[in-house]
Amino acid sequence: MTDRTLPLPALGNAAGNPAPARTPRSQPRLRPRIAAVVVAVLALWGVWATWDTFVRSPGGQRADQLALDGAARGQGLLWELAEPVLGVVSNSFVGLGLAVAVVLALARGRWWLAAQVAILVAGSNLTTQVLKHLVLDRPALLDVARADINTLPSGHTTVAASVAAGLLIAVPRRWRPVVAVAGAGYTAATGVSTLIGQWHRPSDVVAAVLVVLAWGAGVCALSSPSSLDGPRDGLEPGTSGAAGLLLLGAVGTGAVALGALGGVRGDGWGLPLGGDLTAYMGGMLGVVAVTLGSFALLLLVRQSTARPAP
């Protein structure tokens, strides 16, 4: 009698129905992650270039100091608006903002996304403190008080920008354009408020925003299936509109800021009330320009790295 191998029955459930095939998990795309790394590296270079231009050179320090001196003009009225904005920024604010972003990620079942948010907020603020107190110095090139005390990057601006960026990364795709615009507005308001209160020079604020952009793009480059959008989530119509609006604002304010910087150096126009006011207004617009541009880039990086591979 010949042995015959009987076919094994197909696996199924108790009712005899065949088990459904498992759908493979979506994977992040490579090109957007490479682009995110490029953005992060350029942002880090921007931090160094800001310090090298406005802290290590006499001309840069002079322009920055003029902006700080110009903040004394009309400070009484402006400080009434700026002080409440700065009053929000505290350790409690960081904890609350981080908790909200992490809870949003966990509520969606995204464990790695929650870790990305925590890395972004903690890394940004730690980097700012290390750069300010241990890495970067400030040569005393001007005859002013506390000329050798380094204040770059701004800690208050880093806190505001990192919390806003964490929320941008954590929320669902359709909400990111709104969060990007709102986060850019709040970060810019915080940065400008530190100028009004003469807490920081413009370069301090610019460097802080770039630190957060570097960390935000960096964690986006570490995307995993947990941080991807659903396969049915296509490009939101609001993404291009919000990014375009932010970039348009960055170009407009940046052009005027560059003109003001040229005016301070004697190369172009200047306000009739003096070089300190020209530097002050130019510094404000420069802060706004860098903030708007950074959040536009972060929005585009997050949307592209969150889209799963086909």
Side-chain angles (χ1 to χ4, degrees):
M1 183 175 179
T2 304
D3 293 334
R4 299 180 62 187
T5 303
L6 297 178
L8 295 175
L11 297 177
N13 53 27
N17 297 324
R22 294 185 61 184
T23 303
R25 298 186 68 182
S26 299
Q27 296 296 324
R29 299 183 300 160
L30 179 60
R31 287 185 179 179
R33 297 170 75 182
I34 295 176
V37 171
V38 172
V39 171
V41 171
L42 289 176
L44 288 175
W45 175 85
V47 175
W48 175 86
T50 301
W51 171 74
D52 187 59
T53 301
F54 291 98
V55 177
R56 294 185 65 189
S57 69
Q61 278 201 19
R62 189 175 302 111
D64 236 11
Q65 186 64 37
L66 275 174
L68 186 68
D69 296 339
R73 295 176 179 260
Q75 189 179 60
L77 177 60
L78 293 175
W79 183 243
E80 293 181 4
L81 301 174
E83 187 176 17
V85 176
L86 295 176
V88 173
V89 180
S90 63
N91 291 333
S92 299
F93 174 77
V94 176
L96 179 61
L98 178 60
V100 170
V102 169
V103 168
L104 283 174
L106 294 179
R108 301 169 60 203
R110 309 297 182 88
W111 294 92
W112 176 240
L113 180 58
Q116 285 176 290
V117 171
I119 292 171
L120 164 60
V121 175
S124 298
N125 288 278
L126 180 61
T127 299
T128 284
Q129 297 305 316
V130 170
L131 288 177
K132 181 188 300 186
H133 299 294
L134 299 178
V135 177
L136 303 180
D137 62 349
R138 182 179 183 85
L141 304 178
L142 301 178
D143 186 16
V144 296
R146 300 167 60 88
D148 60 342
I149 303 299
N150 180 54
T151 56
L152 182 150
S154 163
H156 278 74
T157 306
T158 302
V159 168
S162 63
V163 171
L167 289 171
L168 170 59
I169 289 177
V171 297
R173 187 179 192 90
R174 64 181 178 274
W175 287 105
R176 289 175 200 147
V178 176
V179 174
V181 173
Y186 174 67
T187 301
T190 301
V192 169
S193 295
T194 65
L195 303 185
I196 293 173
Q198 293 183 296
W199 291 11
H200 282 287
R201 303 171 181 88
S203 63
D204 302 341
V205 180
V206 168
V209 174
L210 293 177
V211 165
V212 175
L213 174 60
W215 275 97
V219 298
C220 286
L222 301 176
S223 295
S224 73
S226 173
S227 56
L228 297 180
D229 296 326
R232 296 183 180 180
D233 295 334
L235 179 63
E236 290 292 329
T239 298
S240 57
L245 179 65
L246 291 171
L247 289 174
L248 182 62
V251 170
T253 54
V256 179
L258 288 175
L261 179 60
V264 171
R265 299 177 58 182
D267 301 330
W269 63 270
L271 295 180
L273 297 179
D276 57 349
L277 185 57
T278 298
Y280 179 40
M281 299 304 294
M284 280 188 173
L285 292 175
V287 165
V288 172
V290 172
T291 303
L292 297 182
S294 295
F295 273 84
L297 287 175
L298 189 56
L299 171 62
L300 294 175
V301 166
R302 173 58 180 147
Q303 295 290 57
S304 62
T305 55
R307 191 178 303 117

